[in-house]
Amino acid sequence: DAPISAVGHAFEVSKGEDDYIYFAESYPNIRVKKNWNDVSDPSKWEAFTPLQQGTRYNAANPPLELDAQGNPVYGWKTNTDPLTTDRLEELVQNGHIDREKSPFRLKDFESGSDVRLHRSSVFWNDYRNSWVMIGNQFFGDSLLGEVWFAEAPTPEGPWENAVKLFTHHNDSENYT
């Protein structure tokens, strides 16, 4: 029943003198220091989340950490639930947070439509000099067949503009 567990694509990130293993199921929002003692201790894992330190997600009354202007405060927090794509969308739909103020706000660069990620892979790209993401969209033109590219200055984002690379659109069935 640990609130944080490894989910998704793992990749390494160095921050100052610390090395981490990040995990991105949709967005990179789980990390742990890259050493056996921390990896094997669930209390050392961190979630990049706007929830208050040490809380669990509650859809009816989300325990958000807010600044003086009422904006969510995203940060690395231990013993705190990470936000899945579903939870993030639920918070937006219920008016608890503004999607535009989230670091996880991927949009189609051409149309401006929201891109709801199902899975992604993230890695540093020396040529682009940025973090790049290749992700599958959930409920695009097909169920899981849209593949997107995005860039961000840090693994935490902000993940904003995306370009569609591939589609598996088929009018007769929902091919993925």
Side-chain angles (χ1 to χ4, degrees):
D1 31 334
I4 305 169
S5 59
V7 179
H9 170 249
F11 60 99
E12 296 179 27
V13 176
S14 293
K15 296 265 186 175
E17 294 186 20
D18 292 320
D19 293 325
Y20 292 90
I21 303 169
Y22 276 53
F23 296 88
E25 181 175 31
S26 52
Y27 293 99
N29 64 347
I30 297 171
R31 76 177 185 184
V32 63
K33 284 189 178 177
K34 188 182 163 185
N35 65 68
W36 182 248
N37 289 335
D38 286 357
V39 168
S40 61
D41 182 354
S43 72
K44 303 289 186 176
W45 288 67
E46 300 173 307
F48 193 71
T49 178
L51 298 181
Q52 295 173 19
Q53 172 78 30
T55 62
R56 298 291 179 104
Y57 181 75
N58 178 331
N61 188 20
L64 295 171
E65 180 181 345
L66 304 174
D67 66 15
Q69 290 75 40
N71 297 314
V73 177
Y74 285 80
W76 289 108
K77 302 166 188 174
T78 59
N79 195 33
T80 309
D81 279 342
L83 291 185
T84 63
T85 297
D86 289 339
R87 288 176 177 173
L88 177 62
E89 295 297 326
E90 189 173 53
L91 287 173
V92 170
Q93 290 173 2
N94 293 335
H96 295 293
I97 64 171
D98 179 354
R99 192 173 197 278
E100 297 304 312
K101 294 183 180 175
S102 167
F104 309 134
R105 57 180 181 260
L106 213 54
K107 290 188 175 292
D108 180 337
F109 179 73
E110 290 182 2
S111 71
S113 300
D114 293 341
V115 175
R116 184 177 180 211
L117 288 181
H118 174 62
R119 297 280 190 270
S120 72
S121 180
V122 176
F123 204 77
W124 175 257
N125 185 291
D126 285 330
Y127 177 76
R128 301 289 298 172
N129 198 32
S130 65
W131 291 92
V132 297
M133 173 191 292
I134 305 293
N136 282 20
Q137 182 180 10
F138 194 50
F139 291 119
D141 291 334
S142 65
L143 179 63
L144 296 172
E146 315 320 303
V147 180
W148 294 83
F149 170 87
E151 296 180 271
T154 70
E156 296 84 5
W159 294 99
E160 299 178 89
N161 295 314
V163 176
K164 189 187 291 189
L165 300 175
F166 302 102
T167 184
H168 293 275
H169 185 69
N170 183 328
D171 292 333
S172 64
E173 58 185 79
N174 204 0
Y175 177 72
T176 64

